[in-house]
Each structure stands twice: as C-alpha cells, then as structure tokens.
Amino acid sequence: MDDDGKRRQFTRVVHGGKRDAQAALDELKAKVSGIVENDETVSDYLDGWLKWKATSVSHQTLMNYVSAFNVWRPLIGEIKMEELNSSHIRKVIPALLDGRSKRTVYQYMIMLSVAMKSAVIDGLIAKNPLSGVDRPRWRPTERRALEPAALDELWTNIEMVDDGSPQRIAFLLMIDCGLRCIECRKLEVGCVSDGFLIVGESKTAAGRGRRIPLTKRMSRVLEEWIEWRGEIGASGALLVHPDGQPLSQRSLESWWWAHRDKWGCGDITPHGLRHSNLSRMARHMGAHDLMRWAGWKDISMALVYVHDDDQQLLNAVERMQNGA
C-alpha cells in the first residue's frame, strides 16, 4: 500500500520459465508478509536434497553424492543457504586440494553445483555459488606404467575393499587381464571357462571374442563373485550392483576417483591400469601374443610395448641349434 493506504500494483519482469516466475513470486511474498528469516544451512539443504535425489538415481550414484557432500560439509555446511555465495567456495578450494587430485576436486565441485542448481530453481538462492568459481584444471597425461610390485600392491588394496561392488571386480580384471572398461562392463554370466576368461567385446581381426588365461588369484575372486551373482539371476551381465543394475561407465570411474588418492594413484586413470598390465605382459611374451592378449586388430600397437631385445634372438638361435 502507498502512503494514502491504497493498494499499489507491483510488477516485476522475470526471465525464464514458469518455475522461475513462481520462485520469484514466492520470494516476493516472503518479503512482503514479513516471514522470519530462513535459518536453513547448507548442510540441512544437502540432507533434504539427497532424500529427494534418492528417488531418481541408482544407489551407487547416490553414494557418490554422499561422499562428495561429506567433504563439503566441514567447509561450508554451517553457512546459511541464503548467505552462500561464490566467495565462500573460492576460500575453501585450497583446503579441498590438500591431499586430493585436481580431477577429484573438479568432480566434487560438479556434484555440489548440481545440488545448488536445484536450490536456485526452488528460489532458496538467487544464483548458483559455483557458477562464478574457476574449477581446477589438469592435463590428462598418462603416468608411466606401474611397476609389477606396485601393481600387485594395488591389487591387494582393491581386493580388501569390502563393499560388494562390481567396480572392485572390474579393476582387478584390468590389473590382471588388461581389460578395457567397456569389456569389463559387457562381460556376461558364463564368461569363465576352464581357467580362461572369454571376452566378447574384441577388436581382433577375426572379430571373435578372445580367451584370456586367468591367474590363480583372479580365478578365486571370480569364483566367489559368480557364486554371489548366481543368487540374483542366472543370465545377463556379470558385473551388476546388488539391486541388479548393470555397471555403468560413470559409476566405474567415480569409484576409482573416490579411492585412488589413498593408494597413491592420483594420476592414474582406469585405462592406466590396462596400460600397466600390458607393459608387464610385454616382458613375458612377443608382439604377436601381446596383440592377442590385448585384443588389437593388428600388431602395430603391440610393437609400442615390445622392445627389441637381442637376447630373445640369441635364445631362439640356441633353441634351434638344440633341435627344439
């Protein structure tokens, strides 16, 4: 009302859709009616957002959000939502980077940004506080292959993770069998036969799946997994979550990002584990056998791993002279 006690119409232009207009109206009503200031903190909001998100994402995706938010809570959790802005985020970036890779922090920022976008839509905040913050940049270079001892240590660390996840099995397969991510995801029930892993997704010239001999430790792990897998269905993908959902590329990568730093592998990608296995196997086989092992269509890639070695030629001549 104006000074004469008459009602005065107030018009405000809102850019966006119907939800944006409704959010602006709700905000204006709150100001006009003198509603008490909102005391909801960032931590409170994230709790509610996770409950809402749980109805639309897989269990693994939800756990990834929970893990990321648990890192954010000690840093910004007590700040009121209506007061949160970009400066709060910028101040805590150094703390986030302490002991974590830039790529990991980048993922944490993406996850928080998703939640904050919902807060903007709901009219809780006017602007996403992460929209004005530069995310860490990194060059996705491939570190040298892990040495056999380091690779075996990583195997032990991964095997000790008792979370019942298919990601655990996938990374053990990359370490011991040199599988690609997509090959792990496409393994079918029944892929293990007579000590061999039958890999259907192959780039071999013949266009057939390849047979990879299993190590004793990998055979043991797969036997235990297959026994559990049979309890939820006799057919379909081998690597599935407890709810029966197949393993996705996103959940595979997120699992690795969540664990790799504590194992000293902050600059190792999932593909880096395959690279490490192939480098290891190249010490024990020739280029043609490595081509078959890796599933390449020709020998050119194998020659990158297998280096000229005069001793191999000398050994071949010696075997020939001995009548072998």
Side-chain angles (χ1 to χ4, degrees):
M1 294 185 181
D2 57 20
D3 295 337
D4 298 329
K6 297 181 179 180
R7 287 189 175 184
R8 181 169 59 89
Q9 184 176 2
F10 179 81
T11 303
R12 177 182 173 185
V13 177
V14 177
H15 297 284
K18 184 176 181 180
R19 296 184 68 178
D20 297 310
Q22 185 61 49
L25 178 60
D26 292 341
E27 180 183 359
L28 182 60
K29 285 181 177 179
K31 291 180 179 179
V32 172
S33 59
I35 295 178
V36 179
E37 183 180 358
N38 187 0
D39 290 328
E40 184 178 36
T41 65
V42 172
S43 190
D44 294 334
Y45 174 75
L46 293 179
D47 287 338
W49 188 86
L50 286 171
K51 292 179 181 178
W52 166 74
K53 199 67 175 177
T55 63
S56 60
V57 298
S58 68
H59 174 73
Q60 185 59 49
T61 299
L62 184 67
M63 290 300 99
N64 292 337
Y65 277 114
V66 170
S67 298
F69 293 168
N70 285 342
V71 174
W72 284 105
R73 290 179 194 273
L75 303 174
I76 61 172
E78 298 304 314
I79 299 174
K80 293 182 179 180
M81 277 294 293
E82 61 182 15
E83 297 176 356
L84 184 64
N85 57 53
S86 299
S87 65
H88 293 115
I89 306 299
R90 293 192 190 96
K91 289 178 182 178
V92 301
I93 295 299
L96 285 172
L97 288 168
D98 185 16
R100 301 183 182 89
S101 69
K102 291 181 179 180
R103 185 167 185 171
T104 298
V105 173
Y106 182 94
Q107 293 298 321
Y108 288 165
M109 293 179 70
I110 289 291
M111 292 181 182
L112 182 63
S113 181
V114 171
M116 291 300 111
K117 285 180 180 179
S118 297
V120 173
I121 292 174
D122 293 339
L124 297 177
I125 53 178
K127 180 182 178 182
N128 189 331
L130 284 92
S131 62
V133 181
D134 292 331
R135 293 167 186 159
R137 295 180 179 273
W138 76 96
R139 179 177 294 177
T141 55
E142 191 74 59
R143 194 175 77 172
R144 63 179 178 81
L146 292 173
E147 291 297 320
L151 208 54
D152 288 337
E153 181 181 355
L154 179 59
W155 164 282
T156 300
N157 289 331
I158 293 177
E159 187 183 18
M160 291 175 63
V161 177
D162 187 21
D163 61 357
S165 70
Q167 293 95 320
R168 169 177 165 271
I169 307 299
F171 285 111
L172 293 179
L173 285 167
M174 293 179 202
I175 291 174
D176 255 23
C177 301
L179 264 59
R180 303 174 178 89
C181 290
I182 191 172
E183 289 174 336
C184 293
R185 292 168 47 214
K186 291 194 173 184
L187 288 174
E188 297 286 326
V189 171
C191 64
V192 178
S193 175
D194 299 325
F196 284 82
L197 181 70
I198 313 302
V199 183
E201 185 70 22
S202 176
K203 295 183 179 180
T204 56
R208 300 188 303 269
R210 65 190 190 278
R211 292 166 56 86
I212 300 178
L214 293 170
T215 61
K216 292 181 179 179
R217 63 184 185 182
M218 193 71 246
S219 293
R220 171 178 51 80
V221 170
L222 282 176
E223 182 179 351
E224 295 172 355
W225 179 264
I226 290 172
E227 181 179 358
W228 169 83
R229 176 64 180 83
E231 297 176 2
I232 62 172
S235 63
L238 175 68
L239 302 184
V240 297
H241 294 284
D243 60 1
Q245 292 298 313
L247 178 63
S248 68
Q249 181 68 21
R250 182 174 179 180
S251 64
L252 189 65
E253 293 177 346
S254 296
W255 191 93
W256 177 245
W257 291 332
H259 289 85
R260 66 178 183 173
D261 287 343
K262 64 184 177 185
W263 295 327
C265 297
D267 55 350
I268 292 288
T269 63
H271 180 75
L273 300 181
R274 168 177 161 85
H275 171 58
S276 297
N277 170 269
L278 299 181
S279 298
R280 184 178 194 175
M281 299 306 296
R283 303 180 183 185
H284 306 288
M285 60 177 64
H288 186 266
D289 288 335
L290 186 64
M291 178 190 73
R292 294 172 56 204
W293 176 273
W296 291 314
K297 63 181 179 180
D298 57 52
I299 204 169
S300 59
M301 280 299 298
L303 294 174
V304 175
Y305 288 86
V306 179
H307 304 291
D308 292 336
D309 189 347
D310 290 342
Q311 188 60 47
Q312 290 185 10
L313 300 180
L314 290 172
N315 291 341
V317 171
E318 186 176 338
R319 289 195 299 271
M320 181 270 294
Q321 293 180 137
N322 293 333

